[in-house]
Amino acid sequence: MIEPIGNQYVVARPVYSANAFGEEHKKKQRHHKTLLDHLKKLCRCSAQKAKKIAFSLFPIASWLPAYRIKEWLLSDIVSGVSTGLVAVLQGLAFALLVTIPPGYGLYAAFFPVIIYFFLGTSRHISVGPFPVLSMMVGAVVVRLTATDNTADSTFTNSSMTNDSSIDEQKVIVAATVTMLSGIIQLLMGVLRLGFVVIYLSESLISGFTTAAAIHVVVSQLKFMFQLTVPAHTDPFSLFKVLESVFSQIEKTNIADLVTSLVILVVVFVVKELNQRYKAKLPVPIPIELIVTVIATGVSYGFDFKTRFNVAVIGEMKPGFQAPVTPSRQTFQDTIGDSFGIAIVGFAVAFSVASVYSLKYDYPIDGNQIAGLLSAIIVLIVIVAIGFLLEPLQKSVLAALALGNLKGMLMQFAEIRRLWRKDKYDCLIWVMTFIFAVVLGLGLGLAASVAFQLLTIVFRTQFPKCSTLANVGRSNIYKNRKDYSEIGFRPLRILRKRNKALKKIRKMQKKGLLQVTPKGFICTVDGFKDSDEELDNDKIEELDQPINTTDLPFQIDWNANLPLNIVVPKINLHSLILDFSAVSFLDVSSMRGLKTILQEFIRIQVDVYIAGTDDDFIEKLTRCEFFDDEVKDSIFFLTIHDAVLHILMKKDYSTSKFNPSQEVEAKSDDFTISTNGGLRNRECQVPIETKF
């Protein structure tokens, strides 16, 4: 037994050995599933499982019947049209990164959207060409077509002719890499290998995408200056390209250079205005579309191609081009690069989808019709009006490609922040950037992952974590899974409480909820409120701490609330985390820990951390971990110290509330209690707790 005496405690219990403790406190027999058990479960079939598999393979079957036409159709039309127009321009621009004719970039903007419409799992991401992936594919194309002037057997194909070999070879390689990457991603999904992205940390992805942005900038210089630059794919290729560009800088086409610089300035300025005034603008200014229309018209009207010898997109045949079958050797030469591209593509798409899934509180299991409309816009350009873009200068496309790199180039600011917070993460960022710039994107990615894994050797990774429970009212704590278990999502409860609070405020303002000395009175049988999807600002409001100071009563969230207001009930008031096995936290885990603490604190669940060393707390202080909400007073030497602190804080020396302590309630200051009655704010009933 334990008895608190002031700030001290006295422990009276037997001295347990492992065997003695096991005899007195029998452990539940838990069956640990073997590989055979998992295989049996996987092969077991039922109607419910078949339905679940069908919905997972074709999410459209689950979200399409629930689509709210009146509420979502108009916004999806606007979103689809604007996204489609941008996709057309990005497809043309990013085709230059792959070093294939621009018209083929439209295919990359069309087919992924159509497929994602049926198989997609996120409502907010728009699939299509991405600069980093385009650059990685382009590196493979350049490497395998570098000897295209010779009779390389890699590209021997009966359908090829001498006149069109170079472009056909590039298209074949690009298509092969793309198809193999898709097959690899499909196999990863079937084999549940998505966990590999945990080895691509935020620091690694940030450093890699920044290096890729540098590669993109350098690769577009030849289009901006209109220079003939030989292909380089080996290590140090970026520096060789720069040497080639500056060695013939006197051959620059001034018309292309001026056009691209003007486009860059205009795009950057308008994008800044869009960002600064996004709250006031109904839709962002489609600057890419505007400058493309103007540049195409000016180039056609003044015949830039003839007068200034500028490079233009050229002939764009309507419809889809006949496919060419790649050779077996092409598959063999591109399989390694395809694997890296598949991993990076999945990591980028999944991280973006996860951000929006968490922000808008929905599982990644549906997509909206906006994607289909976007694909229709791209299809119209492919089959009907693509010829209108033939006079467009390639330098304009290069400028548009660079205009989309601002976000990635601004990631250089991460170095200073990471250095202050976690030097390991900062080192990973810097080395990833250096590897990707010097060795190229393919080898650079492999070297970066290897270096990151090497840093893990010097730090403890994957510590065993468990939920501990007090055993027999003593100072002994064991894995709660061996005795009982509990769980809930604090963020979801916080949002539901804030939603309920908004409804209660509306009811009070409308006079539908009145408080009397004997309880609350609802003057209406039902209360309907809008359940429409919330925008960003309203979602962020629901994530804020609950504030009821403007109400004449407090709300007991474990009570039966008025009318149809339902909020999940929770049966704990304090949570203790045992960090005795935690040796370090990187920036990502530190951010996650603080988010967890805030979510629990905001639903009135106190969180304490026990078993940390002084260096751990000092690092949190250096990283500005603590604020008015998460304080450094949550740390305790041992779990039992934290438990006794909770006992004293909650004043459990009196196990039940004494009615004689009740203070006469004022008519304007009440609390809704679990039995529907009211009590004074200053008189709080302690909850009976069992250990």
Side-chain angles (χ1 to χ4, degrees):
M1 297 293 293
I2 57 174
E3 292 292 337
I5 304 177
N7 289 330
Q8 301 178 349
Y9 64 88
V10 177
V11 180
R13 63 170 177 84
V15 177
Y16 288 120
S17 65
N19 293 334
F21 181 83
E23 291 176 0
E24 184 169 342
H25 301 282
K26 296 298 182 183
K27 200 172 184 179
K28 292 193 306 185
Q29 295 296 327
R30 291 194 297 148
H31 174 68
H32 297 278
K33 293 182 178 180
T34 63
L35 178 60
L36 183 60
D37 294 330
H38 288 289
L39 289 176
K40 288 181 179 179
K41 183 179 179 181
L42 184 63
C43 297
R44 192 177 299 126
C45 186
S46 65
Q48 183 178 3
K49 185 176 181 180
K51 182 179 179 181
K52 183 178 180 181
I53 293 175
F55 281 161
S56 65
L57 292 177
F58 300 97
I60 187 174
S62 61
W63 65 259
L64 188 58
Y67 187 82
R68 305 176 188 175
I69 297 179
K70 293 183 179 180
E71 300 176 33
W72 294 346
L73 184 59
L74 181 60
S75 61
D76 276 349
I77 291 176
V78 175
S79 175
V81 172
S82 60
T83 304
L85 294 174
V86 173
V88 169
L89 301 178
Q90 288 184 343
L92 295 172
F94 295 155
L96 299 181
L97 301 181
V98 190
T99 68
I100 59 176
Y104 285 94
L106 296 178
Y107 301 162
F110 173 72
F111 289 107
V113 179
I114 288 293
I115 296 174
Y116 200 80
F117 174 72
F118 294 97
L119 307 180
T121 58
S122 174
R123 302 175 187 172
H124 294 89
I125 66 172
S126 176
V127 294
F130 187 70
V132 174
L133 299 179
S134 300
M135 191 67 199
M136 295 180 71
V137 175
V140 182
V141 171
V142 171
R143 176 169 58 84
L144 295 183
T145 59
T147 57
D148 53 79
N149 290 330
T150 65
D152 193 341
S153 60
T154 299
F155 303 100
T156 301
N157 190 285
S158 59
S159 64
M160 285 187 175
T161 62
N162 294 331
D163 296 335
S164 60
S165 62
I166 178 61
D167 281 344
E168 264 192 32
Q169 290 171 5
K170 291 183 176 181
V171 171
I172 288 175
V173 174
T176 304
V177 172
T178 304
M179 184 179 67
L180 286 177
S181 300
I183 293 175
I184 292 172
Q185 288 185 343
L186 183 62
L187 292 176
M188 289 175 59
V190 173
L191 300 177
R192 302 298 182 186
L193 298 180
F195 69 90
V196 296
V197 297
I198 66 174
Y199 296 106
L200 302 180
S201 65
E202 290 184 16
S203 302
L204 187 147
I205 292 178
S206 177
F208 180 77
T209 53
T210 306
I214 298 298
H215 278 280
V216 172
V217 171
V218 173
S219 69
Q220 296 305 292
L221 292 179
K222 63 181 180 180
F223 297 107
M224 297 177 65
F225 294 103
Q226 200 192 128
L227 300 175
T228 302
V229 178
H232 299 283
T233 60
D234 52 329
F236 304 99
S237 60
L238 183 141
F239 305 102
K240 294 178 180 179
V241 171
L242 287 176
E243 179 186 7
S244 178
V245 168
F246 289 108
S247 64
Q248 49 181 324
I249 194 70
E250 72 280 358
K251 301 178 182 178
T252 299
N253 187 302
I254 302 300
D256 271 326
L257 178 61
V258 172
T259 301
S260 57
L261 292 178
V262 170
I263 296 294
L264 265 180
V265 172
V266 172
V267 169
F268 273 125
V269 170
V270 176
K271 281 184 176 291
E272 279 295 320
L273 294 177
N274 282 339
Q275 180 66 25
R276 182 169 299 182
Y277 299 103
K278 62 180 180 180
K280 298 181 180 180
L281 292 173
V283 292
I285 301 174
I287 186 59
E288 291 94 345
L289 174 64
I290 295 174
V291 297
T292 300
V293 172
I294 295 176
T296 304
V298 172
S299 176
Y300 177 78
F302 292 93
D303 195 12
F304 277 13
K305 181 179 180 180
T306 303
R307 296 178 61 183
F308 302 109
N309 196 30
V310 299
V312 297
I313 291 179
E315 182 182 7
M316 292 184 62
K317 298 179 181 179
F320 296 93
Q321 304 301 313
V324 180
T325 305
S327 65
R328 178 180 299 180
Q329 185 65 39
T330 306
F331 278 106
Q332 296 175 355
D333 291 341
T334 57
I335 185 66
D337 300 283
S338 300
F339 184 80
I341 293 171
I343 296 295
V344 175
F346 172 73
V348 172
F350 185 80
S351 60
V352 174
S354 299
V355 168
Y356 283 105
S357 171
L358 179 63
K359 187 171 185 178
Y360 291 95
D361 192 25
Y362 66 85
I364 308 178
D365 62 359
N367 194 1
Q368 294 184 342
I369 291 179
L372 180 62
L373 298 176
S374 173
I376 292 175
I377 297 298
V378 179
L379 179 62
I380 293 174
V381 175
I382 293 175
V383 302
I385 63 174
F387 69 93
L388 295 177
L389 296 174
E390 292 178 358
L392 183 63
Q393 298 168 244
K394 290 185 177 180
S395 59
V396 173
L397 296 179
L400 292 177
L402 298 183
N404 287 289
L405 298 179
K406 178 188 174 184
M408 287 190 281
L409 292 175
M410 292 296 290
Q411 291 178 138
F412 278 110
E414 291 284 298
I415 298 177
R416 181 180 179 184
R417 183 182 66 85
L418 291 174
W419 178 258
R420 289 190 295 107
K421 294 189 174 182
D422 191 290
K423 291 180 174 55
Y424 276 105
D425 277 334
C426 182
L427 183 61
I428 291 173
W429 196 105
V430 173
M431 294 307 299
T432 299
F433 177 82
I434 293 175
F435 287 147
V437 167
V438 175
L439 301 179
L441 297 179
L443 289 176
L445 177 62
S448 302
V449 173
F451 179 80
Q452 179 178 258
L453 294 177
L454 185 63
T455 63
I456 298 176
V457 175
F458 302 100
R459 302 189 288 178
T460 304
Q461 183 71 353
F462 302 121
K464 180 180 179 181
C465 300
S466 58
T467 303
L468 304 182
N470 181 272
V471 180
R473 294 184 63 83
S474 68
N475 64 341
I476 299 174
Y477 299 86
K478 287 290 185 179
N479 191 338
R480 187 159 190 164
K481 287 185 177 180
D482 294 333
Y483 303 93
S484 62
E485 59 186 62
I486 185 172
F488 60 90
R489 290 182 58 188
L491 180 59
R492 183 177 294 274
I493 292 178
L494 175 64
R495 289 177 174 176
K496 287 187 176 294
R497 286 186 178 183
N498 272 320
K499 285 183 180 180
L501 184 60
K502 293 177 68 174
K503 292 183 179 181
I504 291 174
R505 282 198 177 100
K506 287 183 180 180
M507 294 174 65
Q508 189 209 5
K509 289 180 180 180
K510 294 181 178 181
L512 303 179
L513 180 64
Q514 298 179 359
V515 180
T516 68
K518 295 184 179 180
F520 59 84
I521 299 176
C522 296
T523 59
V524 67
D525 294 332
F527 179 75
K528 295 182 178 179
D529 197 11
S530 173
D531 286 327
E532 297 177 356
E533 283 197 344
L534 302 173
D535 56 27
N536 289 1
D537 296 333
K538 293 183 179 179
I539 285 288
E540 293 175 358
E541 290 177 8
L542 297 183
D543 294 346
Q544 299 305 311
I546 297 172
N547 184 6
T548 60
T549 56
D550 60 325
L551 297 176
F553 48 79
Q554 268 188 313
I555 302 176
D556 185 348
W557 295 109
N558 286 327
N560 295 322
L561 299 179
L563 299 179
N564 59 342
I565 301 177
V566 178
V567 176
K569 298 178 175 59
I570 57 175
N571 60 355
L572 79 158
H573 53 71
S574 302
L575 178 66
I576 302 174
L577 304 178
D578 182 10
F579 270 36
S580 57
V582 178
S583 58
F584 74 95
L585 286 180
D586 59 14
V587 175
S588 302
S589 56
M590 200 178 302
R591 186 183 300 113
L593 174 63
K594 186 166 185 178
T595 300
I596 292 173
L597 296 178
Q598 289 175 333
E599 290 173 359
F600 276 104
I601 291 172
R602 291 173 183 180
I603 60 172
Q604 300 172 354
V605 175
D606 297 329
V607 184
Y608 303 92
I609 298 177
T612 60
D613 56 31
D614 294 337
D615 293 337
F616 183 89
I617 302 176
E618 289 176 1
K619 180 177 180 180
L620 294 182
T621 304
R622 288 198 310 270
C623 294
E624 301 176 352
F625 182 84
F626 304 107
D627 52 28
D628 294 335
E629 199 168 18
V630 179
K631 302 179 181 179
D632 58 1
S633 59
I634 64 175
F635 292 90
F636 286 84
L637 293 178
T638 66
I639 298 174
H640 203 60
D641 288 322
V643 171
L644 292 181
H645 170 78
I646 295 171
L647 290 174
M648 291 183 289
K649 180 179 179 181
K650 300 297 181 180
D651 191 17
Y652 287 115
S653 57
T654 303
S655 61
K656 292 186 178 180
F657 177 64
N658 187 353
S660 64
Q661 297 175 352
E662 185 172 1
V663 182
E664 182 178 356
K666 298 180 182 179
S667 60
D668 60 345
D669 196 11
F670 295 95
T671 300
I672 301 177
S673 64
T674 56
N675 58 5
L678 301 174
R679 66 175 183 267
N680 189 284
R681 279 182 181 271
E682 300 176 356
C683 185
Q684 301 297 321
V685 181
I687 306 172
E688 183 176 356
T689 301
K690 297 180 181 179
F691 290 94

